[in-house]
Amino acid sequence: MSVTALATSSAAPPVAATARSRGYWSGVGRRILRDPLTMGCAGVLLLIAAAAVLAPWILPVDPYKTSMLHRLAPMGSAGYLLGADELGRDMAARLIHGGRLSLMLGVLPVVFAFVIGGSIGILAGFAGGWLNMVLMRSLDVFYAFPSVLLAVAISGALGSGMSNSIIALTVVFVPQISRVAESVTTQVRSLDYVEAARMSGASAFTIIRAHVLGNVMGPIFVYATGLVSVSLILGSGLSFLGLGVKPPEPEWGLMLTTLRSAIYVNPAVAALPGAMIFVTSMCFNLMADGIRSAMDTKA
Amino acid sequence: MSLIPHKPAADRGGPAQPLLIVGSLRKYFPIRGGLLGRGHGAVHAVDGVGFQLGKGEILGVVGESGCGKSTLARLLARLIEPDDGEVIFDGDGVGAADGIGVKELRRNLQLVFQDSFASLNPRMTVEDSVAFGPRIHGQSAADAIRVAHDMLARVGLEPSRFGGRYPHELSGGQRQRVNIARALVTRPRLVILDEAVSALDKSVQAQVLNLLLDLKEELNLTYIFISHDLNVVQYISDRVLVMYLGQVVEIGPVDCLYRDARHPYTRALLSAVPSMDPERRTRHSPLTGDPPNPVNPPPGCRFHQRCPHARTVCAAAVPKPVEVAPGHRAACFMANPASGYDSSPAEVGR
């Protein structure tokens, strides 16, 4: 609500400015800033993302340009800092450019699933009763399949391609996020302050907006952050299986597939895309942990 | 006073008309189980409760935990729908065709809960929590904050110091004051205090009780004061209602009831109050056993299995509340001379 701003400016005496305590989120921000591991991981991710976005300016080398002469060039050879792949394309350029698609595959499905699954879960949790039953039991159907298998099946049915992979991964994550959202909303709904809000005559929508959202977003957000690494790995897995991004696009999972055959010739270069996936998903996981503990602590 | 821009709802029936008439209110909670959630009986939480509440009165409601006190509070506030029975608020049937709706009722009735922490949104500042009601009732943000500040000052919290704080930065007593401010800010006429001071320690409890009494005079309030603490109820109430297993067993003026309780259950409750006098120490447990299962209440008088004076009639018939003194009613065969069983209204148990 926007009432706070008005309060300090108009009605309250000047003391209010100093007496006003810092809010919950500024406390969370302060704790995250003091956590070196979380900040380090955030830095690495920022670096990878910035490199991906600014790829053409950082390394003005065409990631699609093949060269028969330099096939599987080892790391550190002239002009090929990180070596070259099986078609002689520059690995450094491909890894940096690959961050674009891979990060999109990691982040976008989670963002979509956060919005869709979060809405379904909060609705089900707040409504309770038969609506909760119908929504949650329908989503439980998706739990019948292991998530990898589900992603493979859906993108297999939709056909390969970036957008289909994103759709498939979104479908995989919606039930999981819904379940988390539903359980936290159910807890919050039964608290006395929600009853008190009902007593003041507020509509269900107003209660959700003013009292429920702020108290359930945190746990859902933390859970979703942890899913980014899963999405990244599943997305790369789809590309690896030939169901995701099509060659010759640079994408880490796809690069891992095509370099697979070169693992005995030049193992270091072949492992590079895997290392990128590992580092990125690790950073997302550690960051999710950091955010979780920053939010858990009572000030 | 003039700071409050909206006035409380008008008194329509005059002082003689009861503010609240409750008639045979009933709520059974079905127990779900089995494959398709079919009913397996029901908890008889509130079973035929009826009473009247005068304007400006404080009615204490006492009883063991699980006797339906809180369910009664939530039924009156329509946070849960009753299965049967009627509630008449200042002459208007709640939910009746020509009566008042739930929304209108909630303008006139507010609740204060026991758990001061759970009843405040942890992410909202104190002033935002208090201003929420007025905002919902259509006041501008600035007005709502002004009313909230006024009410915070009335409950003894300096708005400039406490308004911007979050619930976890306050003590239990301060939080409960915020809850009282939140309940009163929309100017209700009836406030149900559901164990509102039970979680506070004794000195804070006394402060909050006195605050409640002051506010009642200032704002023309009527209270229903639910508690398991008989001393507190004796201190604050004008009349007391005793509940056992979802039913009213005795109701009467506080002095009369505490001095001369007629129902054996009320007597047992009162004798269970710890005495400060070592000469008058309670030596034996006044009641044995647990209350019967509310899913399967015993036939006849619900208290007969634990009652020291029970006779065969108690298991066979349900005693009706009868007047034993002016304004004092008890639902016990033994207390009713007309029942023919009146062996011992006062003698037995002394």
Side-chain angles (χ1 to χ4, degrees), chain A residues 1-8 10-13 15-17 19-25 190-203 206-207 209-212 214-219 295 298-299, chain B residues 74 77-80 103 106-107 109-111 113-115 117-125 127-129 131-133 135-137 140-142 144-146 149 158 160-166 168-169 182 186:
Chain A
M1 296 188 84
S2 59
V3 278
T4 43
L6 280 157
T8 39
S10 64
V15 207
R20 167 165 287 278
S21 61
R22 282 167 294 194
Y24 171 78
W25 290 110
S190 57
L191 289 177
D192 287 342
Y193 62 83
V194 174
E195 298 234 303
R198 283 175 66 200
M199 283 305 297
S200 57
S203 65
T206 312
I207 295 175
R209 186 176 51 77
H211 292 286
V212 177
N215 291 295
V216 300
M217 273 315 206
M295 294 208 331
K298 272 253 139 56
Chain B
R74 281 168 167 74
R78 285 291 160 121
L79 284 172
I80 44 183
K103 210 173 167 169
R106 287 183 184 159
R107 261 177 214 280
L109 188 158
Q110 283 291 317
L111 270 170
F113 303 94
Q114 170 171 14
D115 186 342
F117 196 70
S119 39
L120 288 172
N121 186 339
R123 304 268 196 279
M124 264 195 190
T125 59
E127 61 191 9
D128 285 348
S129 278
F132 184 76
R135 283 289 284 153
I136 293 300
H137 290 298
S140 73
I145 283 290
R146 239 189 25 244
H149 279 182
E158 178 60 43
S160 59
R161 271 184 67 205
F162 292 97
R165 295 209 189 168
Y166 286 85
H168 69 259
E169 299 172 311
R182 190 254 309 275
T186 46

Side-chain angles (χ1 to χ4, degrees), chain A residues 226-248:
Chain A
L227 282 181
V228 172
S229 64
V230 180
S231 176
L232 190 74
I233 291 168
L234 280 182
S236 301
L238 289 178
S239 304
F240 184 89
L241 293 173
L243 291 166
V245 181
K246 290 198 229 24

Side-chain angles (χ1 to χ4, degrees), chain A residues 74-93:
Chain A
M75 277 193 223
S77 40
Y80 294 91
L81 187 63
L82 292 177
D85 71 0
E86 76 287 354
L87 295 174
R89 294 173 292 200
D90 183 51
M91 275 305 280

Side-chain angles (χ1 to χ4, degrees), chain A residues 6-160:
Chain A
L6 280 157
T8 39
S9 60
S10 64
V15 207
T18 49
R20 167 165 287 278
S21 61
R22 282 167 294 194
Y24 171 78
W25 290 110
S26 73
V28 171
R30 229 175 29 247
R31 282 193 290 276
I32 290 179
L33 286 178
R34 280 203 216 113
D35 179 355
L37 185 62
T38 308
M39 288 309 287
C41 288
V44 171
L45 288 176
L46 215 63
L47 214 66
I48 294 174
V53 172
L54 304 172
W57 293 278
I58 290 177
L59 196 68
V61 176
D62 184 359
Y64 298 103
K65 186 176 160 288
T66 58
S67 158
M68 284 320 225
L69 272 179
H70 297 98
R71 286 199 309 156
L72 294 172
M75 277 193 223
S77 40
Y80 294 91
L81 187 63
L82 292 177
D85 71 0
E86 76 287 354
L87 295 174
R89 294 173 292 200
D90 183 51
M91 275 305 280
R94 284 182 72 77
L95 285 175
I96 294 177
H97 277 86
R100 294 180 167 187
L101 292 176
S102 294
L103 284 180
M104 272 212 300
L105 271 178
V107 174
L108 283 183
V110 176
V111 170
F112 293 149
F114 180 75
V115 174
I116 301 169
S119 312
I120 296 175
I122 291 173
L123 179 69
F126 192 77
W130 63 269
L131 186 61
N132 181 320
M133 190 72 138
V134 169
L135 286 174
M136 296 320 287
R137 291 301 85 79
S138 318
L139 288 174
D140 278 354
V141 172
F142 290 95
Y143 279 97
F145 313 96
S147 52
V148 182
L149 208 61
L150 188 63
V152 168
I154 296 170
S155 35
L158 292 173
S160 62

